[in-house]
């Protein structure tokens, strides 16, 4: 499907853009943001997909994280999708942690969500195909995210091939065992716990000895740690699988974009090393 450009700003020699398109996966119109580094004007560049957290749109990361300066230096395209389908005909819920803005990066199977909420397919298949077809992407890709988006990044990277590396800030590591995840999974997937585990990063990491480079940062002053984020479950899974993930507890940091802005340069350089390999 064609991309419609709806905004553009010059930034660090590159271009910050916003696109709109009809998504077949989600049966709705979607928007996503892109940072094209200056190198993209002369040739194709690798891509980092960023998945945002609950209540966010495609613009939170581009406005708050301060990532474009380093991305311009590294020649790294940043692609930032929305967190769910949206629109009057898309199912929603009054709560912030279900419905629009809370897609949880899965493929819903339950009514009324199944008609639109197929974010797993959108992120893992449809969006990369669009980016590779219409933008100056060289086919090499990595993925990262925050909170609900950290969950999505880890799950998609662990289940799908084709990513050079994955990183996460404050991810929901074991959604099948926390209130956020249990509420969303019951609504979107029903009561089949086997389906829940297919979207549980701790479970997936524990059962697969992966060589995928993984970097996770978690602040120890995060108001959602440990109850909702369950970082220790990911640490245990990493130890049991001997997968070698770097999982770091950062003293004094909370769940905000101040935390992300403090460490985003390290994450971008981590991905750039593996994208170049």
């Amino acid at each position: 499907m064609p991309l419609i450009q709806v905004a553009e700003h010059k930034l660090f020699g590159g271009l910050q853009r916003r696109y709109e398109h009809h998504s077949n996966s989600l049966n709705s119109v979607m928007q996503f943001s892109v940072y094209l580094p200056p190198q993209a004007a002369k040739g194709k560049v690798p891509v980092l997909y960023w998945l945002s957290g609950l209540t966010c749109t495609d613009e939170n990361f581009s406005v708050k994280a301060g990532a474009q300066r380093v991305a311009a230096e590294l020649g790294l395209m940043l692609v930032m999708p929305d967190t769910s389908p949206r629109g009057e005909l898309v199912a929603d819920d009054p709560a912030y942690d279900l419905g629009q803005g809370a897609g949880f990066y899965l493929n819903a199977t339950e009514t009324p969500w199944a008609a639109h909420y197929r974010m797993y397919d959108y992120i893992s298949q449809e969006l990369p195909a669009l980016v590779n077809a219409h933008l100056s992407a060289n086919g090499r890709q990595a993925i990262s995210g925050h909170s609900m988006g950290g969950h999505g990044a880890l799950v998609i990277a662990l289940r799908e091939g084709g990513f050079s590396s994955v990183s996460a800030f404050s991810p929901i590591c074991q959604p099948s065992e926390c209130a956020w995840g249990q509420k969303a999974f019951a609504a979107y997937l029903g009561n089949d716990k086997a389906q829940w585990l297919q979207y549980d990063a701790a479970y997936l990491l524990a059962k697969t000895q992966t060589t995928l480079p993984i970097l996770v940062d978690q602040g120890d002053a995060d108001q959602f740690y440990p109850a909702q984020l369950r970082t220790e479950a990911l640490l245990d899974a990493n130890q049991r699988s001997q997968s070698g993930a770097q999982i770091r507890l950062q003293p004094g940091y909370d769940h905000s974009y101040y935390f992300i802005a403090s460490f985003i340069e390290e994450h971008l350089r981590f991905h750039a090393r593996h994208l170049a390999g």
Side-chain angles (χ1 to χ4, degrees), residues 55-76:
T55 75
C56 290
T57 71
D58 60 292
E59 293 190 295
N60 291 73
F61 182 78
S62 64
V63 172
K64 296 180 178 181
Q68 293 94 336
R69 175 184 61 81
V70 180
E73 175 196 332
L74 298 173
L76 188 60

Side-chain angles (χ1 to χ4, degrees), residues 144-155:
S144 185
H146 173 231
S147 195
M148 178 186 72
H151 139 76
L154 289 169
V155 167

Side-chain angles (χ1 to χ4, degrees), residues 51 53 57 111-112 140 167 175-176 180 184 188 193 197 243 263 277:
L51 308 185
T57 71
T111 304
R140 295 188 63 81
S167 74
S176 65
W180 276 343
Y188 295 141
K193 300 295 180 68
L197 292 176
S243 295
F263 293 96

Side-chain angles (χ1 to χ4, degrees), residues 98-120:
L98 189 67
Q100 296 185 32
F104 269 84
Y105 303 103
L106 51 73
N107 287 338
T109 58
E110 300 297 298
T111 304
W113 313 104
H116 296 283
Y117 285 75
R118 300 187 63 83
M119 287 296 292
Y120 184 93

